[in-house]
Amino acid sequence: MLANGYKRRIALGRNQDGRLELFWIGEDGGIRHNWQKRANTPLWQSGNARLGGPAAEINVISNQDGRLEVFYTTPTGMFMHDWQMTPNGRWNGPEKLADYAGAFALGRNEDGRLEVIYADKNGDLYNDWQKTASGEWNGAERLANGPVEQIVCGSNQDGRLEIFWIAKDGVVHHKWQLVPNGDWSENESLHGKAKQIALGNNADGRLEIFYVAADETIRHNWQLVPNGDWAGEETLPVRGKQVNVARNEDGRLELFYITPDDKVKSLWQVRPNGDWAGDEPPLGGFAFEMTAGANSDGRLEIFYFGADGEIWHNWQPVPNGGPWQTYATYE
């Protein structure tokens, strides 16, 4: 489900021991997960364990102590979370974090405390945060007026969180912490209009956003210097329906996108912090909804729903390089 009303139904985390763990919402609405048998292997645990649900949108982040924590909304909008009781270990069981959340995003403060940003029933932005790293939650506070359609969150080079969101009219806005772990600025518009947005960190620390415009062109905008002002919107020479971004081991960002005819393709920086090249043969034959991340050895890997509703994936054979493996079901 893309455009206004975008929902993330697949998310990727990495355990403290380096094993990737994939989370997705199944056809029955339940949360499923599966994990690598060992770090960097193409071999995954047999079967799809149920974690909770029902769920409408899902995302995952690592606590400072390495424990994965999953956040999700239910079909009625309740905001839930679940977490590993020990790094790489068993799960606690779901608990309610808020009565309602629409779009939401996850971040980790410089001091290690997780922070969630979400839209309430009116579409206004609220945030909540751990009182101590890996600890209990403070309770929600109002952050900005909405309505909000999608939110992403990242960290500046100096540790300050910065959030970006798409308003109901499609305009991209942003807001940032004034100091690491601290209070927030007023919100500003970045003037571009988007249907879906993704966020990356360049090797030199500059944030860069990528988004799908109304005409399905893929556009980007970036900080001129780390922690600083923004360059302005620029259009990349490709079209798509969804974008994801990950960073290669050598620091080069790589953009993964689903084309208008449902193929998975990629663009990549020619050098860290630099210009773009790519758009080679598809990495996936048919896809809807995708996530991307890095193995502990630096090799990028993508996961997506295929035409058959199964999860498919593809990965670099070596860090920073290709040609990519032939795409396959993750089992």
Side-chain angles (χ1 to χ4, degrees):
M1 183 175 182
L2 296 174
N4 289 347
Y6 168 82
K7 298 288 185 184
R8 181 193 294 268
R9 298 200 308 125
I10 184 169
L12 183 66
R14 196 165 79 195
N15 281 281
Q16 189 186 54
D17 61 11
R19 292 175 302 113
L20 295 181
E21 190 155 349
L22 186 70
F23 304 83
W24 72 96
I25 300 172
E27 292 182 357
D28 63 354
I31 297 171
R32 309 285 177 175
H33 65 138
N34 203 337
W35 51 92
Q36 289 175 321
K37 291 185 175 181
R38 60 183 182 278
N40 309 311
T41 183
L43 301 176
W44 288 70
Q45 196 70 25
S46 59
N48 304 321
R50 181 168 176 138
L51 190 61
E57 183 170 3
I58 189 170
N59 209 344
V60 62
I61 194 170
S62 296
N63 278 278
Q64 187 184 48
D65 61 10
R67 293 176 303 111
L68 294 179
E69 191 155 351
V70 167
F71 296 80
Y72 63 96
T73 56
T74 69
T76 59
M78 192 176 296
F79 195 22
M80 308 290 292
H81 64 141
D82 196 355
W83 57 91
Q84 291 175 326
M85 292 184 286
T86 58
N88 318 305
R90 295 183 180 276
W91 292 78
N92 176 79
E95 289 188 2
K96 185 176 75 170
L97 193 62
D99 289 333
Y100 184 91
F104 70 91
L106 312 176
R108 188 165 60 228
N109 282 281
E110 185 190 44
D111 60 10
R113 294 174 303 110
L114 298 185
E115 189 152 348
V116 297
I117 299 93
Y118 62 93
D120 72 352
K121 285 186 176 180
N122 298 319
D124 294 335
L125 278 180
Y126 283 77
N127 64 330
D128 195 357
W129 56 91
Q130 291 174 329
K131 294 178 181 178
T132 59
S134 309
E136 298 295 325
W137 290 78
N138 177 78
E141 289 189 1
R142 196 167 184 277
L143 196 59
N145 294 332
V148 171
E149 297 289 341
Q150 192 206 345
I151 317 164
V152 292
C153 179
S155 296
N156 279 280
Q157 186 187 54
D158 61 10
R160 294 176 302 111
L161 294 181
E162 189 156 350
I163 57 173
F164 304 81
W165 69 92
I166 301 171
K168 192 173 182 63
D169 60 3
V171 174
V172 178
H173 298 264
H174 69 139
K175 188 180 183 81
W176 56 91
Q177 289 177 326
L178 297 169
V179 296
N181 316 306
D183 291 332
W184 292 78
S185 71
E186 298 297 322
N187 61 288
E188 289 186 358
S189 168
L190 285 171
H191 304 297
K193 285 194 171 186
K195 297 195 295 182
Q196 188 258 322
I197 190 169
L199 175 64
N201 281 79
N202 279 281
D204 61 8
R206 292 175 304 113
L207 297 178
E208 188 159 353
I209 57 171
F210 304 84
Y211 49 94
V212 179
D215 61 0
E216 293 190 331
T217 58
I218 295 177
R219 306 182 185 190
H220 65 144
N221 195 350
W222 58 92
Q223 289 177 324
L224 294 167
V225 296
N227 316 307
D229 292 332
W230 290 77
E233 180 183 77
E234 185 175 281
T235 302
L236 289 163
V238 293
R239 297 168 64 87
K241 299 193 295 185
Q242 185 190 348
V243 291
N244 272 267
V245 64
R247 196 166 81 186
N248 281 281
E249 186 186 44
D250 61 9
R252 293 176 303 111
L253 293 181
E254 189 150 351
L255 180 71
F256 301 93
Y257 61 99
I258 298 175
T259 66
D261 62 351
D262 302 314
K263 304 291 193 301
V264 179
K265 289 193 170 186
S266 67
L267 293 175
W268 54 87
Q269 290 176 324
V270 177
R271 61 184 182 281
N273 316 308
D275 292 332
W276 293 80
D279 199 25
E280 291 188 345
L283 302 178
F286 181 95
F288 65 98
E289 300 182 42
M290 173 179 56
T291 190
N295 282 275
S296 59
D297 62 5
R299 292 177 304 110
L300 299 184
E301 191 156 353
I302 58 173
F303 299 81
Y304 54 90
F305 290 105
D308 52 6
E310 297 292 326
I311 304 293
W312 290 69
H313 67 149
N314 199 343
W315 57 92
Q316 290 175 325
V318 294
N320 315 308
W324 285 60
Q325 299 296 318
T326 303
Y327 42 91
T329 54
Y330 76 97
E331 293 94 348

